[in-house]
Amino acid sequence: MSILLAAALAASPTLAQMKWERRVLIVAAPSAHDPALAEQRRILGSWTAKGEERDLTIVEIVGDQVRGAGDTAPALRRKFRLPAGFTAILIGKDGGEKLRSAKPFPTALLEQTIDAMPMRRAGRR
């Protein structure tokens, strides 16, 4: 691993550090070849700007690798009681779990849920 890559990974904030600043979409899969992971990535691919305007950070846990946060995979799997298969969880800025699914989330559900959150409504006034 290059020094730059190691530094970039070390610089990722933890979920605890994101609390009150960012909403987090956790996408967990047993492997990079998981079809549900590929589908969730495809769905989110065209939604980047809308996710960003909603202060959404995507954290992927694939096997024992984490992308998007400085936490370790075992710590996140324990904290959110992640099963062995695919799981997607939307976490609010307050750190609470808002949605959980064993299937990929459609962007309409994410938008609807986030837009109904009190902190999101307060931010749009």
Side-chain angles (χ1 to χ4, degrees), residues 11-120:
S12 291
T14 64
L15 262 65
Q17 291 168 324
M18 290 184 222
K19 191 173 180 178
W20 304 116
E21 301 293 323
R22 307 287 299 171
R23 293 173 185 92
V24 177
L25 178 62
I26 295 174
V27 179
S31 80
H33 307 291
D34 187 278
L37 174 64
E39 177 67 7
Q40 187 70 78
R41 284 175 172 168
R42 186 193 64 71
I43 289 168
L44 294 171
S46 61
W47 199 68
T48 308
K50 287 190 176 193
E52 188 53 44
E53 76 184 35
R54 287 169 174 81
D55 299 329
L56 185 69
T57 295
I58 297 166
V59 174
E60 284 190 0
I61 307 163
V62 180
D64 52 359
Q65 300 292 311
V66 177
R67 196 168 80 193
D71 304 272
T72 66
L76 291 174
R77 288 186 184 285
R78 251 190 329 276
K79 179 175 182 174
F80 294 102
R81 295 181 183 90
L82 295 170
F86 178 88
T87 305
I89 304 172
L90 178 63
I91 307 294
K93 285 187 177 182
D94 63 358
E97 187 175 308
K98 307 305 179 191
L99 291 174
R100 178 184 283 252
S101 178
K103 296 186 292 222
F105 285 129
T107 55
L109 178 61
L110 291 172
E111 279 183 42
Q112 175 186 9
T113 304
I114 291 170
D115 289 351
M117 292 178 179
M119 289 182 78
R120 170 78 174 153

